[in-house]
Amino acid sequence: MTGTAATGTTESGTEVASTAATGAEVTVDELDLALVNALQLRPRAPWSLLGQTLGISPVTAARRWQRLSEAGIAWVTAYGLPHPEDRGCVAYLDLDCATDRTGRIADELAEDAHVMSIEHFSQGCDLAVTAAFTDLAAVSRYTAERLGRLPGVEAVRVHLATGFYAEGIRWRLDSLDQAQRVELHDDQSAGSAKPFAARAEVREEDRELLIRLGVDGRLDQAGLAAATGLSPSTLRRRLDRLAGSDAIRFRCEIAARDAGRPVLATFRAELPPDRLDEVGPQLARLPEVRLCVSVTGAHNLVLSVWQRSLADVQRLEAALTRRFPDLRVAERRVALRTVKRMGRILGADGRAVRAVPMDIWRDPVPAP
């Protein structure tokens, strides 16, 4: 990472203050949010392009990003998919836990490489775990041999993703103007829909590369070559092959509170099956929506949103009911805390503490 940690005052704009692990006060202003928005569009864009788009020098852009990432406010990660066309096997696991064990269970599962996110909910279940696997057999092993043997786990309910309409990789801050978004546009940008020119699968030899990028998705080719022992030409070919087929995806995340949306809510809903592909894309376009996915089970739609207040959750549900009369919200959940999100362990303030890179090709049952 280039640049040095920021030590001066922030520029004008709305600020959110907090304390980093070092004890130094960290603030987020409008320029920081614009930088994160730019990296949501182009997670590996060069500092020169980012600086040009935002009207600052490349050194300033790099310095600001370093400050944000070191404070756990924002981060760029990467993750791989075993089969780009079907996105592998994503499972949404509802866990009922003994009250005095819930926190310890969440902390232990957060270390699992298959686990993408963990949320402690106010109702519906104690913990909601999102995990990715190579196939259904791996889901079975994980639920039976990992979760089933964990002290304090009283019940597990499995819902499998059958179709994605919106994912967190497509969610954006609204901090850039149209001209800036056009300047950053790229067919290979995160979240852009593109056909698969070839079916490229992640190979065993690619796993170390993915793990390194999972820790720091902006690690440059020199850093990657040094970390993996690959030559620059071999590294370039592998990255091009994986990125070209969407087998590797880069994603810029921001702490929900610093994004101005500290309330995370999930709706379990039902739609007539023949309406999913019509309504799903419409729900995906709502600015609050982070995830919209059809799943197996009694309630065939999961909708996750980031909101500014609890009252906004209720208002959104009312608006959804008016707009989609055949959409029935069966359950609404509010996250009391997010323990892990996209390979990052989060602190109580929602900021990243450290990385646990995703590796869905690893044995889903850790060795004792």
Side-chain angles (χ1 to χ4, degrees):
M1 186 71 65
T2 58
T4 57
T7 56
T9 58
T10 60
E11 281 136 39
S12 60
T14 304
E15 296 187 346
V16 180
S18 74
T19 302
T22 59
E25 183 177 299
V26 179
T27 58
V28 178
D29 64 20
E30 294 297 340
L31 183 54
D32 291 325
L33 294 176
L35 175 59
V36 172
N37 196 175
L39 285 165
Q40 289 176 326
L41 296 171
R42 294 283 300 279
R44 286 180 61 83
W47 296 121
S48 56
L49 175 59
L50 294 168
Q52 174 182 307
T53 300
L54 299 176
I56 57 179
S57 72
V59 171
T60 298
R63 185 177 67 244
R64 279 181 170 264
W65 176 251
Q66 182 172 349
R67 178 173 55 84
L68 294 174
S69 60
E70 287 180 349
I73 295 169
W75 59 94
V76 172
T77 188
Y79 56 101
L81 303 169
H83 300 296
E85 294 179 9
D86 61 19
R87 303 183 187 281
C89 184
V90 178
Y92 298 92
L93 311 170
D94 289 352
L95 277 59
D96 295 338
C97 306
T99 303
D100 62 346
R101 292 282 304 176
T102 300
R104 280 176 284 183
I105 291 169
D107 291 341
E108 182 169 345
L109 294 179
E111 302 297 329
D112 290 358
H114 289 265
V115 170
M116 303 168 72
S117 69
I118 301 177
E119 292 174 320
H120 180 198
F121 274 124
S122 58
Q123 62 280 310
C125 66
D126 295 305
L127 296 175
V129 177
T130 303
F133 303 90
T134 54
D135 53 38
L136 292 173
V139 179
S140 177
R141 281 202 69 207
Y142 187 77
T143 54
E145 299 179 38
R146 172 61 167 151
L147 301 181
R149 296 175 181 175
L150 202 59
V153 174
E154 299 175 341
V156 180
R157 293 175 293 280
V158 181
H159 310 276
L160 301 172
T162 59
F164 289 86
Y165 303 107
E167 299 175 72
I169 196 171
R170 299 175 185 269
W171 185 84
R172 305 283 186 255
L173 292 168
D174 188 22
S175 299
L176 299 176
D177 60 33
Q178 180 61 26
Q180 290 172 315
R181 291 194 294 270
V182 169
E183 188 167 9
L184 287 166
H185 177 72
D186 182 3
D187 288 342
Q188 302 300 317
S189 63
S192 62
K194 54 182 180 291
F196 296 109
R199 188 182 179 89
E201 297 185 12
V202 175
R203 305 166 183 166
E204 179 64 29
E205 63 196 31
D206 299 321
R207 287 175 62 189
E208 181 64 25
L209 176 60
L210 280 170
I211 290 170
R212 296 291 180 175
L213 287 169
V215 175
D216 182 1
R218 284 192 59 81
L219 194 61
D220 60 24
Q221 292 202 8
L224 283 171
T228 61
L230 298 173
S231 69
S233 59
T234 299
L235 179 64
R236 191 177 306 109
R237 283 196 304 271
R238 289 191 185 178
L239 281 174
D240 289 346
R241 175 177 59 83
L242 293 170
S245 66
D246 212 23
I248 183 173
R249 311 185 86 195
F250 294 94
R251 175 166 169 171
C252 181
E253 288 283 353
I254 182 171
R257 190 193 67 179
D258 293 292
R261 294 181 176 271
V263 178
L264 284 64
T266 295
F267 299 112
R268 296 275 181 168
E270 295 176 27
L271 268 173
D274 60 354
R275 288 271 287 157
L276 282 169
D277 287 342
E278 178 184 350
V279 175
Q282 296 180 59
L283 293 170
R285 288 192 287 271
L286 298 176
E288 305 94 335
V289 171
R290 291 268 303 184
L291 176 74
C292 182
V293 57
S294 58
V295 297
T296 59
H299 313 310
N300 61 2
L301 191 70
V302 174
L303 194 70
S304 292
V305 299
W306 280 14
Q307 294 283 43
R308 299 186 185 282
S309 69
L310 288 169
D312 285 340
V313 177
Q314 183 175 332
R315 281 192 284 267
L316 176 62
E317 182 178 347
L320 293 176
T321 301
R322 289 193 299 270
R323 182 172 174 183
F324 305 104
D326 53 353
L327 175 70
R328 187 180 79 85
V329 176
E331 187 176 84
R332 67 235 11 103
R333 303 173 174 179
V334 174
L336 302 176
R337 181 187 170 193
T338 299
V339 178
K340 184 179 184 181
R341 174 152 53 90
M342 293 309 297
R344 290 298 192 278
I345 306 296
L346 306 185
D349 60 359
R351 293 183 171 185
V353 175
R354 58 187 175 86
V356 178
M358 291 169 284
D359 182 5
I360 67 177
W361 293 269
R362 181 181 297 182
D363 188 330
V365 181

